[in-house]
Amino acid sequence: MRIFLNKKIVPEPEAVVSVYDHGFLYGDGIYETMRAYNGVVFMLDKHLERLGRSASLTKLDIPETGFIKDAVSMTMEANKLSDAYIRVTVSRGKGAIGLDPALCKEPTFVVIAEHFKKYPEHLYSSGVKLVIAKTRRNLVFAINPKIKSLNFLNNIFAKMEAKERGAYEAIMLNAEGLIAEGTVSNIFFVKDNVLCTPAPEVGALDGITREVVINLAKKNGVKVSEGEYYPDDLFNASEVFFTNTTSEIMPVSQVELIDYKVGDVTKSLHMLYKEEVSAYIKNYRGN
Ligand code: PMP
């Protein structure tokens, strides 16, 4: 693999970062995960906008958008990729030990792009098991989940719980017990023919896939409600799924002791999502 590190493409063994990097020492940094279909990065501008927001909320200087876009396409080309997983990471950079960001002169900028390995089809046809983690999502007034930061220990704890309990993903509640989000995903459920999802203000990342799904649902006559939900709302739902950039729409077959079928709303939204991706690629190539 070839990696974009700071200003240029280097072979993976040379893509090394200092042990004094504050990303390594303190988790001081931000990132984005993107997915390319047929050589086109889906919703690239939205991802870079969100990276910009994470940067300003952490007071981190990041390279200009044009530079990041060039770095992403250079990394894709260097690895001859078409369907790709792309990760852009920016850390505070190398500096003396101490929390003060002023100790770091320049941020460290990395783009990793790998061939996208599709998730097994049976996950989509049968759905996956979720549990509700004991670990609560970070407080909005502590580390706002709106920031896609390298400080991921909160989600890692919940992921470990999921794994210990044989589940695919964990649902995290906020401090008040409201459903916030998954460890790497946004949660949706269908109740009384309404598509429900926690409002980002509850303490969730405003996922880009989430936004696409909400817009598709509205456009296709599905009522959408963004609000405050407790696990009981989920337990009384007819369908549950989660969303993220890499999985798109992943059906859920079980949350704790409750079983769900992979329902029509989930299936049709996933079909519409795939059509949206195709239209995006076509439109991008046409420009
Ligand atoms: N929440 C968290 C905590 C995440 O890490 C992700 C993945 N980026 C998401 C939600 C889903 O966001 P997106 O649809 O933009 O991938």
Side-chain angles (χ1 to χ4, degrees), residues 31 47 50 137 148 152 155 181-186 205 207-210 243-245:
Y31 77 103
H47 281 282
R50 191 169 66 186
R137 191 72 180 104
K148 206 161 159 51
F152 233 55
N155 311 46
E181 59 179 337
T183 65
V184 286
S185 63
N186 291 110
L205 184 72
I208 289 160
T209 321
R210 176 187 182 278
T243 61
N244 67 26
T245 296

Side-chain angles (χ1 to χ4, degrees), residues 131-139 154 158 170-182 202-203 229-232 234:
V131 288
I132 297 180
K134 288 202 182 77
T135 308
R136 297 292 172 98
R137 191 72 180 104
N138 281 329
L139 293 176
N154 181 218
I171 296 171
M172 303 182 79
L173 310 179
N174 74 3
E176 284 99 52
L178 292 162
I179 299 169
E181 59 179 337
V202 171
Y229 301 106
Y230 288 98
D232 268 350
L234 196 65

